[in-house]
Amino acid sequence: MEKVLFRANWHIILIGSVYQYIHSVATNLVYYLHVPHEPLRDLGFELLSPPLEGSDQFWSEILIIILVVICLGYAAMPCVRKVRPGEQRFVTLMIARYFLVLVFCQTIRMISFLVTILPSPNSHCREDSPDYNPPTDVAEIFTRVDASTGCGDLIPSSHAIFATLGGLLMNHYSKNKYLKAVMAMLVIAIGFLVVAARKHYSIDVVAAWYICPLAWFYCSHTFPDRIPNDIS
């Protein structure tokens, strides 16, 4: 069944995978255009003070990894136990759905941070920081791969997008209310930790929290899961 579904959805998965490179080029471009400046005033920064520093800054990444493991574990569960009636799920459909909505969200994200380049609040994006290292030429814009130390790619938050889509994925495919509640708490916690670590402004997280559900709703109704007639 997975092979049949993959033949019907491979192009969505391919486009979603290639789009990650396009998104990487866009983040390098905005890093090249970024001008170091004092961060904007943010109520979230004032409430979540002092900022997380050192190893504490990685708590958001740790929770994202936990969220991803939960999603993968849920998708792979039929491999280790018998699936109850009504609980049938397919890894291919979940991956294709995630990539489809992710492409929509990343398109909005790239347009947003390229038309209005905000000063990044992260400490490594300050002019006097030894870690401030933007691309210097076109070749580097197209070849650098760095998902953690860029500057300028702010609104909406990429951390919040990935986390929120993971929560929406479980909300759509799972019928376990406890699992849905855990995912919702992880999404909220990741948003607060991202702001506390000064990786994003509060608006970056809030924007992701409403853009992702809207994109999911649109894609679900406009592009329903592609299930061949012989297994639907």
Side-chain angles (χ1 to χ4, degrees):
M1 289 183 182
E2 290 286 358
K3 290 181 179 179
V4 175
L5 287 169
F6 184 79
R7 286 196 294 269
N9 293 275
W10 69 269
H11 59 290
I12 298 176
I13 298 173
L14 177 62
I15 292 172
S17 301
V18 173
Y19 214 74
Q20 301 316 299
Y21 170 72
I22 298 173
H23 180 262
S24 176
V25 172
T27 58
N28 290 335
L29 176 59
V30 76
Y31 195 1
Y32 173 79
L33 299 173
H34 178 262
V35 177
H37 196 275
E38 285 298 312
L40 304 175
R41 183 176 180 181
D42 189 293
L43 180 59
F45 292 172
E46 296 176 8
L47 294 176
L48 299 174
S49 188
L52 297 179
E53 296 179 348
S55 60
D56 290 338
Q57 290 186 325
F58 294 100
W59 273 108
S60 56
E61 277 72 17
I62 293 173
L63 291 191
I64 287 178
I65 292 173
I66 293 174
L67 185 145
V68 170
V69 169
I70 291 175
C71 291
L72 293 176
Y74 175 82
M77 191 61 68
C79 298
V80 297
R81 73 169 178 85
K82 186 176 180 180
V83 178
R84 299 171 183 171
E87 285 188 346
Q88 184 62 58
R89 70 204 68 150
F90 297 102
V91 178
T92 301
L93 289 181
M94 295 177 69
I95 294 175
R97 174 60 48 189
Y98 190 93
F99 268 133
L100 180 63
V101 185
L102 180 62
V103 166
F104 272 78
C105 293
Q106 287 182 326
T107 300
I108 295 172
R109 170 172 157 78
M110 289 187 291
I111 294 173
S112 298
F113 67 59
L114 284 172
V115 297
T116 303
I117 304 175
L118 301 174
S120 293
N122 210 313
S123 59
H124 71 259
C125 295
R126 310 294 174 84
E127 191 171 17
D128 58 349
S129 172
D131 298 320
Y132 187 71
N133 182 33
T136 57
D137 52 39
V138 175
E140 200 171 357
I141 290 174
F142 282 92
T143 58
R144 177 185 290 193
V145 179
D146 186 356
S148 59
T149 60
C151 300
D153 56 320
L154 293 173
I155 185 167
S157 163
S158 186
H159 289 76
I161 285 176
F162 282 108
T164 304
L165 290 185
L168 290 169
L169 193 72
M170 290 296 98
N171 186 71
H172 182 79
Y173 289 101
S174 174
K175 295 183 179 181
N176 189 314
K177 61 181 181 180
Y178 300 108
L179 178 59
K180 293 180 180 181
V182 169
M183 295 297 285
M185 289 187 289
L186 281 174
V187 171
I188 294 172
I190 289 169
F192 276 91
L193 287 171
V194 165
V195 175
R198 305 300 188 258
K199 296 177 181 178
H200 282 279
Y201 294 107
S202 300
I203 185 58
D204 304 341
V205 174
V206 172
W209 281 348
Y210 66 78
I211 288 173
C212 290
L214 289 174
W216 187 283
F217 178 81
Y218 172 77
C219 291
S220 295
H221 286 75
T222 309
F223 308 101
D225 288 341
R226 293 174 60 87
I227 305 177
N229 292 329
D230 54 343
I231 66 169
S232 59

